Amino acid sequence: MNAYFFKIPMVGDGGVGKTSLVTQYVNKKFVQDYKMTIGVDFQLKDEVLPNGQKVKLQIWDTGGQARFTSIRTVYYRGSHGIVFMYDVTNRASFQNLGRWLDEINKHNPNAKKLIIGNKIDLVARRLVSTTEGENYALSKGCLFGETSAKTGEGVREAMLKLIQAILPYYDTSERVMKKRQTNKRTVDPFLHSDDEELLFEYSG
Ligand code: G3D
Ligand code: MG
């Protein structure tokens, strides 16, 4: 397995641009089987940091499935970083960030968090300013970025911020992951043993 391997789920209201951003960033590498099995997609992205360090990202994206509690557990468990996205032209999507943050803090308080304001190409329709987004992120202990999943502006830059924040903590989380995997057989090294049980639960 790659030395640096980060699981990063995407969360945020429907329509804010999660799928578009992942597609823009990853360039279409679907792992279709997982989509069919558990109703959640993840895509793999090989990133090279400015210092030459290689990182493999497993970016999880979901449709509406995350509203089911048991899927959420699989979705968030073992994640190293989480992207919270809103749409700068949709104030409700910004106001709902608090709900997503509360939920993640229950499941995975240690993951590094990045808030992204998306659709900045829609300049005339913007309702949430950069400063407002930035201040909110700061107040919640999150990193912040603004993007256009349409033009690609800010996308890689935002993801790099998150990766750089995870790196110093990575070794510890990786050890925890390996320890868990020695306890039970796993079908896939990317998944935790507990996830496998849920995988069967959902494929049945
Ligand atoms: P979701 O995965 O969060 O639900 P999607 O969001 O990626 O499906 O995007 C929802 C809609 O917003 C899509 O339009 C998509 O093209 C659009 N969109 C996503 N990101 C941007 C962006 O940065 N700029 C602009 N202008 N549009 C964006 P449709 O029309 O297909 O519903
Ligand atoms: Mg989507």
Side-chain angles (χ1 to χ4, degrees), residues 64-141:
Q65 298 92 340
R67 70 181 177 274
F68 299 114
T69 314
S70 37
I71 287 283
R72 279 199 214 123
T73 310
V74 176
Y75 197 65
Y76 300 136
R77 184 185 292 136
S79 54
H80 302 88
I82 300 171
V83 176
F84 297 84
M85 194 178 298
Y86 67 96
D87 169 354
V88 299
T89 72
N90 175 350
R91 180 157 288 277
S93 71
F94 179 64
Q95 284 159 343
N96 285 337
L97 285 177
R99 293 216 316 250
W100 290 106
L101 283 158
D102 289 345
E103 173 166 309
I104 269 73
N105 287 332
K106 269 188 267 162
H107 285 88
N108 201 337
N110 298 321
K112 297 291 149 198
K113 291 172 286 213
L114 167 69
I115 292 177
I116 288 182
N118 186 42
K119 307 199 189 182
I120 57 171
D121 58 288
L122 300 174
V123 177
R125 288 173 47 196
R126 186 197 270 263
L127 294 174
V128 184
S129 72
T130 304
T131 311
E132 196 176 353
E134 233 164 26
N135 287 341
Y136 181 74
L138 201 67
S139 76
K140 294 290 183 183

